[in-house]
Amino acid sequence: MFRHTKNLQFEAKPEKPDPVFAHKLQELIGGAYGELSVTWQYLFQGWNCRIEGKYKDLILDTAAEEIGHVEMLATMVARLLEGAPATEVAEAVKDPVTAAVLGGMDPQQAIVGGGGALPADSNGDPWNGKYIVASGNLLADFRANAAAEAQGRLQTARLYNMTDDPGVKEMLKFILARDTVHQKQWLRAIEELRADGLEDEVAPSALFDEENQEHNSTIWHLSDGADGPKGGWTRDLEYLMEPQALGGPATAPPPDPALFSTFAPAASAAEPELAEGDVQTFYSERDGKWKNQVEGRKRASSTSDTKAEAQQAGRELAKNRGVTHVVRKKDGEIAETHDYS
């Protein structure tokens, strides 16, 4: 059940109308990080929360507050548009080029909103429910909440420096303060989740044994900048300075002829010559297993139920021997080749 109180959460009275700033202020209403986004983000997070008590109460308390922020901003927009000319260029816009682009208020504020706020951003694009994050995992959601409040406060701070109106500034000061509190509360709620043993550092706190163990502790150096390894994040992570591509060519399959995509069959690549000692990972039709075999030997050096397990074992074997590792598809075609010499 929701109950509306007629008084605003904080006053929203500009000193004088300003349709250009009303246009800008729409970003705080209907932008990706606007108050509509956090309102619906927190409402759905609260409704989807499976734990009764402090976490659900915090989420819904904040959601209800954000509804009030939307009302404040909508009221401010309507008051900034008071008396704004619907057919003339606003006085605030002097430059002819700027006037042609802006023309004072957003035309939709007059045509669609009747001189009021819109559920849209500062470009007039409508607010989109895809902006919100409500996953049901509180750690992931609270991190998204802290980021949303940081982006919202950043945009509020920028708008604060775009106006000289004392009334507008007072309202924005209030929103800045509330965004400060909300960032702090979500960051502390994350700490509380860990203290309560509900979540840990990584979301979700599961499947750590199943994930690829070779690649769960490395940062890949893939830019020209060389200072990444100097950060504190290398405390328990290795900075891999020369990572190698682990997959084959990013080649799409032949298209359906009915789609008329341009296509020319590629020339078949010649089989690479394997030297004695090189390692092959392949599928055995005889027993339905994935195997690794060293070139020059008759017997497989290892057998696995899955390709992933066999490929990892083959990679380690090739690395240890300092040779080439060839990975084949189920049909025998080569999928990957890696040289560890």
Side-chain angles (χ1 to χ4, degrees), residues 41-55:
Q41 181 153 308
Y42 302 158
L43 282 172
F44 273 93
Q45 286 180 8
W47 294 332
N48 292 342
C49 183
R50 302 301 201 273
I51 307 175
E52 294 296 332
K54 60 184 179 181
Y55 293 112

Side-chain angles (χ1 to χ4, degrees), residues 20 23 87-107:
V20 176
H23 194 161
T87 58
E88 300 175 19
V89 174
E91 178 64 22
V93 184
K94 297 292 187 181
D95 178 70
V97 176
T98 307
V101 174
L102 293 177
M105 71 170 78
D106 182 337

